[in-house]
Amino acid sequence: MIKIKPHHFMDIIKLYGKGIEMFIPDDKYNHNFYYVANEIIKNHHIHIKITLEQDDICLPCKYLGKEGRCIDTIDHINDVSFKNEWNQIIDNRIIENSNVLANSIHSAHEYCKILYSVKENIFDVWKEETNSDKYDRYNYFCLGAEKYLGIL
Ligand code: SF4
């Protein structure tokens, strides 16, 4: 079973939509994004547990601080400087919009299907981002989800 934050799952599907089929390790962060992403892409039946806390991607990350808080910073959202705060905002919005509760367990395929069914909410979840970023996020997520779900 993989423990994963909702926005991390959506990022994996978005990057899959951008054409990445095999994820590679990231030297800057040293996180487990590549491993979790490859597992999800190759095995649709894998069980995932939705979390608002640190997830399996965060575990080896250089930016994972005390009590599971992310200590990385961001500069693309007004009035939000810490990634931990931004992650909490967007993950809570995804949970509300999808009706998939924290700590619930699903297959990766099933969770992708649910998020695809409420895909228009991407514009609300990431409303503070630029329009161009939101449209890119929406378009690539849709492409990735359609490829993953076999509806292309
Ligand atoms: S600790 Fe922060 S930067 Fe590292 S994977 Fe988790 S959310 Fe991303």
Side-chain angles (χ1 to χ4, degrees):
M1 173 142 49
I2 286 174
K3 198 166 142 190
I4 192 164
K5 295 172 190 274
H7 82 275
H8 275 159
F9 186 90
M10 294 189 77
D11 283 348
I12 290 168
I13 300 298
K14 178 190 76 178
L15 291 168
Y16 187 53
K18 268 189 169 177
I20 300 178
E21 304 274 340
M22 177 63 73
F23 291 80
I24 57 169
D26 183 291
D27 290 339
K28 181 184 172 200
Y29 286 90
N30 195 44
H31 50 37
N32 243 349
F33 193 91
Y34 78 102
Y35 175 80
V36 168
N38 288 334
E39 289 295 302
I40 285 172
I41 296 305
K42 78 176 180 217
N43 182 5
H44 290 210
H45 302 294
I46 196 164
H47 283 103
I48 58 169
K49 183 174 187 177
I50 311 305
T51 186
L52 286 164
E53 313 298 334
Q54 69 182 47
D55 63 9
D56 288 353
I57 290 176
C58 299
L59 283 180
C61 182
K62 291 175 185 168
Y63 291 84
L64 184 63
K66 287 180 185 161
E67 294 165 5
R69 289 177 69 83
C70 176
I71 57 169
D72 198 10
T73 55
I74 58 170
D75 60 9
H76 67 296
I77 304 294
N78 283 341
D79 302 324
V80 182
S81 309
F82 289 99
K83 190 183 273 186
N84 198 70
E85 183 186 351
W86 180 235
N87 285 346
Q88 290 281 329
I89 291 170
I90 56 178
D91 281 334
N92 272 301
R93 287 177 184 163
I94 296 168
I95 279 177
E96 278 166 28
N97 289 332
S98 62
N99 264 327
V100 173
L101 300 178
N103 298 318
S104 60
I105 297 170
H106 310 265
S107 74
H109 191 92
E110 185 181 57
Y111 191 48
C112 185
K113 204 170 173 182
I114 293 169
L115 293 175
Y116 184 68
S117 74
V118 293
K119 54 190 177 298
E120 304 299 331
N121 288 322
I122 284 174
F123 294 100
D124 182 47
V125 170
W126 279 273
K127 60 187 170 196
E128 290 86 353
E129 285 191 349
T130 64
N131 281 339
S132 132
D133 284 351
K134 279 188 292 243
Y135 276 102
D136 275 358
R137 187 178 289 284
Y138 176 80
N139 288 329
Y140 286 124
F141 173 79
C142 290
L143 277 175
E146 286 159 7
K147 187 162 62 159
Y148 193 69
L149 298 171
I151 53 180
L152 266 183

